Amino acid sequence: MTSLSDARDTRARESLTDRYDPSAIEPRWQARWEELGMHKTDLDDASRPKFYLLTMYDYPSGDLHIGHWFTKTPTDAISRFKRMSGYNVFFPVGFDAFGLPAENAAVRSGVHPREWTLRNIDHMRRQLRSMGATWDWSSEVVTCEPEYYRWNQWFFLKFLERGLAYREMAPVDWCPKDQVVLAREQVLGANRVCWRCGTQVIKRDLEQWFFRTTLYADELLTYPELDFPDPIRVMQTNWIARSEGAEIAFPVAEDAHQPGGDEIRVFTTRPDTLFGATFMVLAPEHPLVEKLTHPDRRAEVDAYLLEARRKSEIDRLSTEREKTGVALGSHAINPINGERVPIWIADYVLFGYGTGAIMAVPAHDERDFEFARRFGLPIRQVVAPPVKDEAGGELADAYVSHTQDEVLVNSGEFSGMAAVEGGRRITEALEKQGKGKSAVTYRLRDWLISRQRAWGTPIPVVYCENTPSDGIVPIPEAELPVLLPEDYEARPQGGNPLEFDERFLRTTCPKCGGPARRETDTMDTFVDSAWYWWRYLSPDKEDGPIDQDREQKWCPVDQYVGGAEHAVLHLLYGRWFAKALNDMGLVHEREPWTRLFNQGQILGADGERMSKSRGNVQDPDELVSRYGADSVRLFLMFMGPWDQGGPWSPTGIDGVHRFLRRVWTVVLDPAAREGTDAVGGADATELRRHAHRTLAKVTEDHADFRWNTMISALMELTNHMFRLRGTDAVDTPEWDEAARLLLLMVAPLAPHIAEELWSRRLAARGEDWTSVHVQRWPDFSADLVAQDQIELPIQVNGKLRDVVTVPAGLSEIEVEQIALARDKIKAQIEGHEIVRVIHVPGRLMNVVVRPDK
Ligand SMILES: [Zn+2]
Ligand SMILES: [Zn+2]
């Protein structure tokens, strides 16, 4: 002990001139950790359990903002805690490097998108390093490099072979500002705006490439052994939107102008109401519209089509607006009763949903009802509550909403059946005639992956111009990658630069060797991000996209952290990729991530979203230079529950900075203090208990990432130690243990200061340096934690009635609540007015009640 205390005297003297200065210690430790390769993961080490930790990789916009810190630094605390807990942690980093901003920058400044992107990545690498995080940079992937995107092309070819990729003419959502088509998932909100720029999208008919996401629709609705936040599950489920019903074919009726022979297919969730289908409505874009238009109706129909094109989907679906439509002058046959029903077009039916046609049942569907009323079409009630039917009550030709126990009426042989039964029987009857079948539909569409952009992965096919039968020819696998051109001519006037690049366009057909034209569409960048975590395991692998040995060992990802805004984009596509690659035998799991965490959002100090125009942006670089990375990390974790975020607070960050200074002081300078009573024994024991109680709490909080409460606990422990400075307690082994535990607990959260203090501690003891971050996470003593209970005698009117055991840290009110809820006490005080409660904390409680009258 003597030597330790001598050392402490020396240290205390030094510390007079040695204040906590993060700018001096943080870069030094970052360099040291890197030099030692401390965060490089041995992916083939099987001696420890693995833990694959992932944050959503970033788009290299050029600058890290505080939101990046809020995702990444708590995740780094997870990484450090897991390492200390004995796991072999893999925590990679990379860049989602293709995308539109680079092309827009090229238009503005004439710089090649690649140059712009790589420059930003360089800058962001430096900023990321300032966080002091444990990334394994040796596994970095940058998706705009051919080493990466060639594998997008490889997957594309494999998908094409298996029918998972296909090309089709389709009405698609087009952003007029970005001059690019969008996937359904990229059109946001009821007013249907572009996810990137907020411009309202329009519809265009274009030949496009799709991935068949719908193939896995059912499986995407199940989440076996998947710890996903509920909101994400709900959003995905609603997005996929499975509904059961029947697909029914209505033959087109033969007429003077109409040869017939076509049929209109509809999907309905209510086949039981088929007898009530008194007309049909097609979306204006339906391919049969042209053919089914009676010559007399032509002018009116054409005018309506023109009008419908101009409307957004939100306008079309609005319930406020009066329904519009035009009769085509043709009829269809209701397959269940042979009735002729008129065919209309109306813009409230959308082409991209279902089959683009509906059977209208005006008596039981509000929109159909409005439409029928407006145009004088027949309305026939076909379901009714059973009571009414028995009473033989008159049926309305009005709108009648569905009821739970309704039965079929007006439905021929099916009348009287319960709705579900009736629906099933009608479907069976149709099936016998080949006019229908039970069916399931989804709102989910196939993933539109074509982008008319030059800064993305070229789609590896050519169009043969030599042999017509060759058509679309895939590039042979051995010839991958199809490289992007090295120079780039920006097109401020719009359009895809690749379409104007003759050297890129002109090629030969792999089939016939004749001239061919390359596909100029590139892939949605969400293709890049749908599989990048597998590439992290072997970024340099040349003979395939994924190292399957490592995939077996390391996947699925154990913990994924990122924003909830990707709920039906990246988080759906990644799950789809896992299923597709699993079916191809490339990965062994069907879900890519085991546990997902969505962090909240950091707002400006004014409680508003941070934005330059509001002037409430917090620049992390500036905060780091002012407070140090440790304080910024700690404050982000302290400000509230991680999944909620909250407003920035300038006083809050001052507070955590003061806390770290206090940690510095209690560890380095415990003796210096305006002298006080020499205590010792009892205080040291209490400190030891407090340290173990804190350790128990912090360990528990790590399981659910409750950073704020664990930091509060650490602050309390530090304050406790601060109060004991200068007393005899600081010379005890208990103090020494508390200081050691404090540093180990601070290490995952504020890694630099913990490392600095740890190294000084070792030096003071003459021990060799080993990093605090490779220490084993300490075990708390259950005894010390358990002993921390108080036995409290409870009296009623001065008479002992019960003894209750309560945890030491509870507030007086909490203890009172517990005491008054005890059965023995309740029995004594029931029916009496409590006059007052005398509570001597830790000693006694006396409940004074008014005695019986
Ligand atoms: Zn846009
Ligand atoms: Zn050819």
Side-chain angles (χ1 to χ4, degrees):
M1 289 312 295
T2 329
S3 65
L4 180 58
S5 130
D6 288 347
R8 191 178 288 126
D9 289 341
T10 318
R11 227 164 49 206
R13 279 194 300 278
E14 273 171 12
S15 72
L16 292 173
T17 53
D18 186 11
R19 301 193 51 227
Y20 170 44
D21 176 9
S23 68
I25 62 176
E26 292 183 351
R28 182 153 50 76
W29 283 114
Q30 286 162 15
R32 187 80 194 275
W33 294 332
E34 191 153 336
E35 195 182 287
L36 294 170
M38 271 179 58
H39 307 139
K40 187 165 169 9
T41 304
D42 178 359
L43 292 168
D44 304 313
D45 170 12
S47 66
R48 290 170 293 163
K50 67 97 180 177
F51 190 81
Y52 191 164
L53 178 62
L54 186 70
T55 58
M56 288 179 188
Y57 70 174
D58 293 308
Y59 180 75
S61 56
D63 226 358
L64 285 194
H65 51 76
I66 203 76
H68 290 104
W69 277 70
F70 192 52
T71 314
K72 290 172 192 307
T73 55
T75 313
D76 180 58
I78 301 173
S79 165
R80 291 178 183 276
F81 173 73
K82 285 287 180 184
R83 281 168 207 258
M84 292 175 82
S85 303
Y87 288 86
N88 189 19
V89 175
F90 182 44
F91 187 30
V93 64
F95 293 96
D96 186 11
F98 274 136
L100 207 44
E103 283 191 67
N104 293 340
V107 169
R108 281 196 309 273
S109 62
V111 185
H112 193 295
R114 180 183 163 80
E115 202 183 317
W116 183 87
T117 304
L118 295 185
R119 207 160 59 201
N120 284 352
I121 288 177
D122 258 353
H123 181 62
M124 287 172 76
R125 282 187 187 124
R126 276 196 299 279
Q127 291 181 307
L128 285 166
R129 283 190 154 92
S130 75
M131 291 179 186
T134 49
W135 288 302
D136 183 347
W137 284 95
S138 70
S139 61
E140 183 194 48
V141 300
V142 175
T143 58
C144 68
E145 298 294 1
E147 297 78 54
Y148 189 85
Y149 71 70
R150 68 176 295 183
W151 301 111
N152 289 340
Q153 296 174 341
W154 188 88
F155 286 129
F156 180 92
L157 294 177
K158 297 288 177 197
F159 291 168
L160 199 60
E161 260 169 41
R162 298 177 157 252
L164 284 173
Y166 65 94
R167 188 167 187 259
E168 194 173 83
M169 174 69 93
V172 295
D173 294 308
W174 173 266
C175 173
K177 177 151 182 284
D178 293 329
Q179 300 260 312
V180 69
V181 301
L182 301 171
R184 285 275 289 267
E185 291 79 13
Q186 293 167 343
V187 179
L188 307 182
N191 52 342
R192 301 187 39 80
V193 298
C194 167
W195 72 291
R196 178 186 297 289
C197 70
T199 305
Q200 198 164 68
V201 304
I202 57 171
K203 287 279 183 193
R204 281 184 67 175
D205 287 326
L206 288 171
E207 288 267 11
Q208 300 292 308
W209 289 99
F210 293 87
F211 284 170
R212 212 176 287 281
T213 38
T214 52
L215 185 71
Y216 295 108
D218 272 325
E219 198 186 340
L220 287 167
L221 284 169
T222 64
Y223 297 81
E225 292 159 42
L226 205 59
D227 187 355
F228 256 39
D230 284 340
I232 300 285
R233 264 216 290 258
V234 169
M235 277 188 274
Q236 292 198 349
T237 303
N238 291 343
W239 180 255
I240 296 167
R242 180 182 201 273
S243 45
E244 286 179 22
E247 195 177 292
I248 301 174
F250 284 66
V252 172
E254 222 179 286
D255 266 322
H257 74 283
Q258 180 52 253
D262 289 304
E263 43 179 46
I264 299 168
R265 305 193 78 82
V266 301
F267 173 82
T268 174
T269 56
R270 297 301 305 251
D272 54 310
T273 62
L274 184 52
F275 280 85
T278 51
F279 60 99
M280 302 199 74
V281 185
L282 308 188
E285 299 86 354
H286 196 287
L288 281 175
V289 169
E290 171 73 23
K291 207 164 163 189
L292 300 184
T293 303
H294 189 283
D296 294 350
R297 313 286 307 158
R298 171 72 55 200
E300 207 183 327
V301 167
D302 284 350
Y304 189 76
L305 294 181
L306 202 66
E307 184 66 28
R309 289 242 131 185
R310 292 210 192 97
K311 283 182 193 147
S312 68
E313 280 187 20
I314 182 68
D315 286 341
R316 289 175 57 167
L317 292 172
S318 164
T319 49
E320 311 286 285
R321 195 171 60 94
E322 197 171 33
K323 297 271 174 292
T324 62
V326 181
L328 294 181
S330 296
H331 289 77
I333 308 292
N334 185 333
I336 199 71
N337 56 12
E339 236 174 59
R340 278 166 63 93
V341 295
I343 305 170
W344 287 64
I345 54 171
D347 60 13
Y348 77 92
V349 177
L350 298 179
F351 187 62
Y353 293 80
T355 60
I358 61 158
M359 61 178 220
V361 182
H364 307 293
D365 180 285
E366 279 182 88
R367 290 181 315 166
D368 297 347
F369 176 69
E370 268 180 62
F371 194 83
R373 280 299 270 272
R374 169 112 208 262
F375 295 105
L377 291 159
I379 298 167
R380 183 187 304 140
Q381 185 179 358
V382 290
V383 287
V387 176
K388 189 158 189 182
D389 189 41
E390 278 162 24
E394 75 283 13
L395 300 172
D397 62 346
Y399 175 71
V400 182
S401 56
H402 288 291
T403 54
Q404 271 297 321
D405 53 353
E406 64 194 356
V407 297
L408 271 60
V409 295
N410 265 337
S411 297
E413 59 184 293
F414 305 96
S415 293
M417 289 180 188
V420 175
E421 162 79 357
R424 199 166 49 77
R425 296 283 292 276
I426 286 176
T427 308
E428 280 166 13
L430 293 173
E431 203 153 0
K432 282 198 193 104
Q433 309 168 43
K435 293 276 168 49
K437 56 176 197 262
S438 56
V440 172
T441 61
Y442 303 89
R443 179 163 167 243
L444 181 74
R445 300 288 107 182
D446 284 337
W447 176 10
L448 168 51
I449 61 138
S450 289
R451 293 295 177 274
Q452 295 66 47
R453 284 287 144 198
W455 188 233
T457 304
I459 291 176
V461 299
V462 303
Y463 300 93
C464 180
E465 291 174 334
N466 188 49
T467 318
S469 63
D470 282 0
I472 302 172
V473 185
I475 303 284
E477 215 181 291
E479 287 171 32
L480 297 183
V482 176
L483 291 170
L484 287 169
E486 277 178 17
D487 41 27
Y488 178 90
E489 202 177 321
R491 297 190 59 80
Q493 64 276 48
N496 178 357
L498 293 179
E499 284 173 34
F500 302 89
D501 190 321
E502 283 298 311
R503 285 162 311 166
F504 179 78
L505 279 177
R506 295 287 128 224
T507 183
T508 52
C509 167
K511 248 189 204 163
C512 70
R517 182 178 171 280
R518 269 192 208 287
E519 172 64 83
T520 54
D521 282 357
T522 56
M523 293 182 208
D524 184 358
T525 57
F526 280 99
V527 175
D528 314 0
S529 57
W531 69 281
Y532 69 102
W533 57 93
W534 286 302
R535 190 65 185 171
Y536 277 147
L537 293 165
S538 53
D540 303 320
K541 186 177 166 63
E542 281 177 16
D543 57 354
I546 298 167
D547 182 321
Q548 287 179 271
D549 284 344
R550 287 185 174 167
E551 189 281 323
Q552 281 281 347
K553 277 192 201 107
W554 283 93
C555 294
V557 168
D558 295 279
Q559 177 69 59
Y560 198 14
V561 177
E565 68 274 19
H566 295 290
V568 298
L569 291 157
H570 165 62
L571 292 174
L572 198 59
Y573 299 144
R575 294 183 63 214
W576 181 83
F577 247 77
K579 295 169 204 320
L581 300 196
N582 178 276
D583 280 344
M584 290 158 61
L586 289 166
V587 302
H588 79 284
E589 70 276 21
R590 290 191 78 81
E591 291 289 351
W593 321 293
T594 303
R595 190 179 182 204
L596 171 70
F597 186 89
N598 299 127
Q599 82 281 1
Q601 198 183 19
I602 299 296
L603 304 170
D606 52 3
E608 301 285 336
R609 215 189 151 96
M610 282 192 191
S611 76
K612 280 192 182 126
S613 60
R614 281 207 184 85
N616 61 355
V617 176
Q618 287 297 331
D619 172 16
D621 290 355
E622 192 211 305
L623 291 165
V624 169
S625 63
R626 213 162 126 209
Y627 294 98
D630 281 341
S631 291
V632 181
R633 290 171 62 112
L634 212 59
F635 176 59
L636 290 170
M637 289 187 253
F638 184 58
M639 60 193 298
W642 194 19
D643 59 355
Q644 289 167 33
W648 185 261
S649 151
T651 51
I653 191 165
D654 281 331
V656 296
H657 189 68
R658 257 196 319 276
F659 159 62
L660 290 179
R661 280 210 309 264
R662 199 162 262 212
V663 171
W664 183 271
T665 305
V666 297
V667 173
L668 293 185
D669 204 9
R673 201 205 176 187
E674 51 291 355
T676 176
D677 318 330
V679 269
D683 282 356
T685 309
E686 182 44 37
L687 176 64
R688 179 149 191 252
R689 280 208 200 133
H690 190 177
H692 278 262
R693 196 166 70 222
T694 307
L695 178 58
K697 161 117 189 101
V698 169
T699 306
E700 194 183 297
D701 281 352
H702 267 289
D704 297 316
F705 316 141
R706 287 193 299 264
W707 315 116
N708 53 335
T709 56
M710 80 172 77
I711 292 167
S712 292
L714 289 168
M715 286 173 165
E716 279 173 29
L717 177 63
T718 307
N719 289 343
H720 188 170
M721 294 175 78
F722 199 79
R723 283 195 304 273
L724 290 180
R725 282 199 318 152
T727 69
D728 284 353
V730 304
D731 279 324
T732 61
E734 286 87 349
W735 173 279
D736 196 55
E737 186 186 0
R740 180 173 161 272
L741 292 179
L742 177 65
L743 290 183
L744 292 171
M745 289 189 278
V746 167
L749 312 170
H752 308 88
I753 188 174
E755 188 78 300
E756 176 72 17
L757 294 176
W758 185 260
S759 83
R760 292 189 188 208
R761 198 179 131 88
L762 292 176
R765 296 156 157 253
E767 290 176 27
D768 289 340
W769 181 76
T770 54
S771 169
V772 69
H773 301 292
V774 302
Q775 305 305 312
R776 189 67 200 236
W777 186 257
D779 292 320
F780 56 84
S781 151
D783 279 353
L784 287 171
V785 175
Q787 273 172 27
D788 230 38
Q789 303 267 345
I790 296 165
E791 291 205 334
L792 189 71
I794 305 169
Q795 300 174 337
V796 177
N797 288 352
K799 234 177 165 172
L800 180 67
R801 297 294 182 182
D802 199 1
V803 177
V804 63
T805 310
V806 292
L810 292 189
S811 70
E812 287 186 36
I813 291 170
E814 286 169 317
V815 174
E816 257 167 55
Q817 279 168 349
I818 292 170
L820 295 177
R822 301 280 291 186
D823 287 343
K824 285 182 189 164
I825 304 302
K826 273 195 336 213
Q828 292 297 320
I829 62 179
E830 212 151 68
H832 298 276
E833 189 195 335
I834 297 175
V835 181
R836 66 176 187 274
V837 176
I838 301 162
H839 183 183
V840 187
R843 302 278 299 278
L844 171 87
M845 185 182 296
N846 183 16
V847 184
V848 182
V849 298
R850 205 175 292 284
D852 284 326
K853 290 191 181 106

